[in-house]
Amino acid sequence: PGEGTGCTPSLAAPPATLWVPVGCWGAQGRFAYKLLHDLFTNYSSALCPVEDTDRALNVTLQVTLSQIIDMDERNQVLTTYLWVRLAWLDAHLTWDKDAYDGIDSIRVPSSYVWRPDIILYNNADDRFGGSMETNVVLRSDGHIMWDSPAITKSSCKVDVSYFPFDGQRCRLTFGSWTYNGNQIDLRNRRDAGDLTDFVENVEWEVLGMPATRNVITYGCCSEPYPDVTYTLLLRRRASFYIFNLLLPCLMVSFLAPLGFYLPADSGEKVSLGVTVLLALTVFQLLVAESMPPSESVPLIGKYYIATMTMITASTTLTIFIMNVHHCGPGARPVPPWARWLILRHLARLCCVYEVGESCKSPRRAPGSGDADMPGETPREGEVGAEVGRCPRERCLCHHDSLLRNVGYIAGCFRRHRAAQRRTSEWKKVAKVMDRFFMWVFFFMVFLMSVLVLGKAA
């Protein structure tokens, strides 16, 4: 507000002529024309209409919220359609209604009379447009009422920490720009804004619009400046964002643990994790485009980041498990601790079993039972003993060479079976780890979803 030393002059001049339709030239029409001429003959809209300049002029303000046009969270601008009503007493516009055929009130253009320069302090419109030039209602006792509709753009500090379950408090501060508190005493007519004619908004729910009067002394001036602040309490309707941003993210995040359920030989385990990660990145960009670039991360943004971190961890574990699965025949045997922890306890906990087994059937010790299978080739000692039972005098001359060849073939077979056994054990370890991490990540997704919804509530 600027420093005011008096009433600002106005360029509006009293009307020289008034056009009245022919049908209105009755008794009331003639008296109304005469009243208008008498009132504005020596009237000037450039001066403050007070008889005593040492006393402040009382101006009352009432705001009716008609519609919320737009809430721009990124630019932090609220666009509303308001009806602004100002009322004050003009000491120079009074008349005796009995002298004018009982006329108690007339309506004239607002430019004819003096008007207080009440503006919206936190206006964010680049054109800085004011209210419409509507008529004012003059009464015989000098009271003037000016109702004017206005589309306002006001700055609003937006807090998106709980988006899309957030609420906002937007302030509309009205006050005089040049008149201080010693010249105009601005007061609110009601304790809250009028919401009776409010058109419901599809995105925002209005919880209230309380009004408070403040008297502030600015650094530019020593005089106090009163203002009336309407606080618009808004709550976002989250249904649109739940169905378009939250639920797709929830369903996509449940695909990440299923990557552990895919067979390692399918070749799609890593591809699934990367695809889910890219999908969540697209959703994150959609949220970031509509949010203001501030340090406070929205709640749904935190959920996206946590889910993307979980998917990144699951993809990393999938690569590690695939490396375990494809160890190959040259791998070392499974360590005893891994055999005891993973193949015995975790396999039973995660219900991982081979073909022909079940969770309730007795389990054989890992590595046992392979040598007892029917059709198993005898061991090297048994072959030597069986061959040794052949009478030496009946053997052929190449008996020793035959025994070495049979022993070599038996050793190769045993090494091949041992390599197959090690490979199958490592594959079993990878399968158990896959199933274990699948349930762990399912639990993490469920826990994150419950925490997000609980924090929003």
Side-chain angles (χ1 to χ4, degrees), residues 34-82:
K34 183 176 183 299
L35 172 61
L36 185 65
H37 183 270
D38 294 343
L39 286 176
F40 292 99
T41 298
N42 297 320
Y43 180 81
S44 175
S45 60
L47 298 177
C48 210
V50 290
E51 295 181 350
D52 188 1
T53 56
D54 294 334
R55 300 182 60 183
L57 178 65
N58 295 324
V59 178
T60 59
L61 172 67
Q62 178 185 345
V63 172
T64 300
L65 179 62
S66 178
Q67 185 180 0
I68 297 176
I69 299 177
D70 182 42
M71 166 65 86
D72 189 355
E73 292 92 348
R74 188 169 184 84
N75 297 318
Q76 302 188 91
V77 174
L78 173 66
T79 305
T80 55
Y81 178 41
L82 305 176

Side-chain angles (χ1 to χ4, degrees), residues 63-132:
V63 172
T64 300
L65 179 62
S66 178
Q67 185 180 0
I68 297 176
I69 299 177
D70 182 42
M71 166 65 86
D72 189 355
E73 292 92 348
R74 188 169 184 84
N75 297 318
Q76 302 188 91
V77 174
L78 173 66
T79 305
T80 55
Y81 178 41
L82 305 176
W83 298 345
V84 182
R85 170 173 291 185
L86 293 172
W88 66 93
L89 177 63
D90 194 325
H92 305 305
L93 295 178
T94 60
W95 69 88
D96 184 8
K97 59 182 179 181
D98 294 334
Y100 294 93
D101 197 23
I103 297 178
D104 184 56
S105 63
I106 58 174
R107 288 159 179 81
V108 297
S110 59
S111 59
Y112 288 3
V113 301
W114 175 89
R115 295 170 297 178
D117 56 346
I118 305 298
I119 64 171
L120 181 64
Y121 280 175
N122 56 332
N123 198 327
D125 193 357
D126 52 354
R127 295 175 298 177
F128 209 81
S131 56
M132 295 179 60

Side-chain angles (χ1 to χ4, degrees), residues 17-34 36:
T17 58
L18 179 67
W19 179 81
V20 181
V22 178
C24 298
W25 280 107
Q28 285 281 5
R30 291 195 302 270
F31 281 107
Y33 183 82
K34 183 176 183 299
L36 185 65

Side-chain angles (χ1 to χ4, degrees), residues 96-397:
D96 184 8
K97 59 182 179 181
D98 294 334
Y100 294 93
D101 197 23
I103 297 178
D104 184 56
S105 63
I106 58 174
R107 288 159 179 81
V108 297
S110 59
S111 59
Y112 288 3
V113 301
W114 175 89
R115 295 170 297 178
D117 56 346
I118 305 298
I119 64 171
L120 181 64
Y121 280 175
N122 56 332
N123 198 327
D125 193 357
D126 52 354
R127 295 175 298 177
F128 209 81
S131 56
M132 295 179 60
E133 293 292 335
T134 56
N135 292 339
V136 297
V137 179
L138 304 181
R139 298 195 178 276
S140 59
D141 55 358
H143 282 90
I144 299 179
M145 185 174 296
W146 182 26
D147 288 337
S148 177
I151 296 179
T152 62
K153 290 185 177 181
S154 58
S155 58
C156 177
K157 184 178 180 181
V158 179
D159 184 12
V160 292
S161 300
Y162 292 94
F163 175 86
F165 306 98
D166 58 328
Q168 305 297 335
R169 299 171 62 92
C170 296
R171 292 177 173 82
L172 302 171
T173 303
F174 295 89
S176 175
W177 190 254
T178 57
Y179 296 110
N180 56 52
N182 300 324
Q183 298 167 338
I184 287 183
D185 185 14
L186 181 63
R187 295 185 176 274
N188 49 307
R189 188 172 183 180
R190 294 182 179 179
D191 294 335
D194 190 4
L195 301 176
T196 54
D197 297 320
F198 176 70
V199 179
E200 291 292 335
N201 189 268
V202 295
E203 184 179 1
W204 296 95
E205 179 184 0
V206 178
L207 303 180
M209 194 176 178
T212 56
R213 180 179 182 271
N214 308 301
V215 179
I216 301 176
T217 302
Y218 296 93
C220 64
C221 321
S222 58
E223 297 85 0
Y225 282 84
D227 64 66
V228 176
T229 300
Y230 289 88
T231 304
L232 190 58
L233 306 178
L234 302 175
R235 184 172 60 189
R236 192 188 302 271
R237 303 180 190 270
S239 301
F240 174 81
Y241 299 97
I242 289 176
F243 285 100
N244 290 276
L245 290 180
L246 193 57
L247 283 183
C249 173
L250 185 62
M251 291 186 290
V252 168
S253 61
F254 270 102
L255 290 177
L258 291 178
F260 293 106
Y261 195 74
L262 278 176
D265 296 330
S266 65
E268 298 293 334
K269 295 171 70 69
V270 179
S271 301
L272 178 61
V274 174
T275 304
V276 172
L277 185 62
L278 291 177
L280 288 177
T281 304
V282 172
F283 282 110
Q284 174 69 17
L285 291 177
L286 291 177
V287 175
E289 286 180 357
S290 59
M291 294 295 101
S294 61
E295 294 183 357
S296 59
V297 182
L299 184 62
I300 190 173
K302 295 179 182 178
Y303 180 67
Y304 284 163
I305 294 298
T307 307
M308 292 167 65
T309 304
M310 184 194 66
I311 294 174
T312 304
S314 67
T315 307
T316 306
L317 288 173
T318 299
I319 296 173
F320 171 74
I321 294 173
M322 289 184 65
N323 190 21
V324 173
H325 178 83
H326 296 285
C327 280
R332 293 179 299 177
V334 178
W337 65 267
R339 190 188 304 274
W340 178 83
L341 177 63
I342 298 177
L343 296 182
R344 181 175 299 177
H345 294 84
L346 281 183
R348 186 177 303 172
L349 178 65
C350 299
C351 200
V352 178
Y353 50 90
E354 298 294 341
V355 178
E357 298 178 351
S358 65
C359 296
K360 298 180 180 179
S361 62
R363 302 180 59 87
R364 295 176 300 179
S368 65
D370 292 334
D372 300 332
M373 295 176 59
E376 180 74 20
T377 303
R379 299 187 182 274
E380 185 176 1
E382 297 175 357
V383 173
E386 184 179 354
V387 177
R389 287 197 297 268
C390 178
R392 182 175 296 275
E393 60 274 4
R394 297 181 182 180
C395 291
L396 302 174
C397 60

